[in-house]
Amino acid sequence: MILRFFRPGIGAALLGARVLFAVVLSPVALAQEAHQPAPTAQSAEESAFLAENDAAMTKMMNDMAAKPSGDIDRDFVAMMTPHHQGAIDMAVIELRYGKNERLRRIAQEIIVEQRQEIDAMKLAIGEPVTDTTPAQTQQPGATPGAAATIHDHMHMHHDMMKQETK
């Protein structure tokens, strides 16, 4: 009876999710490794993109390993907030380096929507929402178009969230 060694709760759920994740991704990762083309030389920009993206993913995964508090709702928010923040961080990186205008627009939407979800979850458990200072999305010397759009959306959202809490 393996199940009796696990107590029901967030820890068991996390363990189960990790095991399922590993089982599902292992064959996919192995299949992709076998079919990847020979590595090509990376540009400095691509190297910077990959390094920033790897750092964002590592931070997200580390931050999602929240210690259970005994409050399922707070634990959910504690794990989902870094998950959503990871999406924001990766979208910001796309805005810094990406060239495809469609993907850049999607990245802008991800930033706004994920921030809204983080704020909604925090409000649901009585925590204050965070400041919506825009992230640096442009490389030095670049034109500020995308950053200005995100900045405007974030402030509009922040004002709406403040009104909801009154």
Side-chain angles (χ1 to χ4, degrees), residues 64-115:
M64 283 174 51
K67 184 176 181 181
S69 70
D71 181 333
I72 292 170
D73 295 326
R74 287 193 178 283
D75 292 346
F76 174 74
V77 173
M79 288 181 284
M80 287 303 292
T81 298
H83 176 69
H84 282 44
Q85 185 61 51
I88 292 168
D89 294 344
M90 290 187 301
V92 166
I93 295 165
E94 168 62 20
L95 291 174
R96 275 193 203 131
Y97 298 101
K99 307 289 188 261
N100 183 307
E101 285 305 315
R102 226 183 211 172
L103 291 175
R104 291 175 55 78
R105 184 68 186 151
I106 291 169
Q108 290 173 343
E109 292 171 8
I110 288 169
I111 292 168
V112 172
E113 291 167 2
Q114 296 295 298
R115 177 85 260 153

Side-chain angles (χ1 to χ4, degrees), residues 52-53 55-61 63-64 76-93 96 107 110-119 121-122 129-137 154:
E52 287 183 40
N53 198 60
M57 291 287 290
T58 299
K59 181 179 182 343
M60 176 185 71
M61 294 305 289
D63 292 349
M64 283 174 51
F76 174 74
V77 173
M79 288 181 284
M80 287 303 292
T81 298
H83 176 69
H84 282 44
Q85 185 61 51
I88 292 168
D89 294 344
M90 290 187 301
V92 166
I93 295 165
R96 275 193 203 131
I110 288 169
I111 292 168
V112 172
E113 291 167 2
Q114 296 295 298
R115 177 85 260 153
Q116 289 173 347
E117 289 189 18
I118 290 170
D119 289 347
M121 286 187 291
K122 286 184 174 188
V129 297
T130 54
D131 183 26
T132 57
T133 303
Q136 176 63 34
T137 60
M154 295 295 278

Side-chain angles (χ1 to χ4, degrees), residues 29-42:
L30 290 173
Q32 286 179 348
E33 280 181 21
H35 298 291
Q36 288 186 352
T40 59
Q42 293 177 352

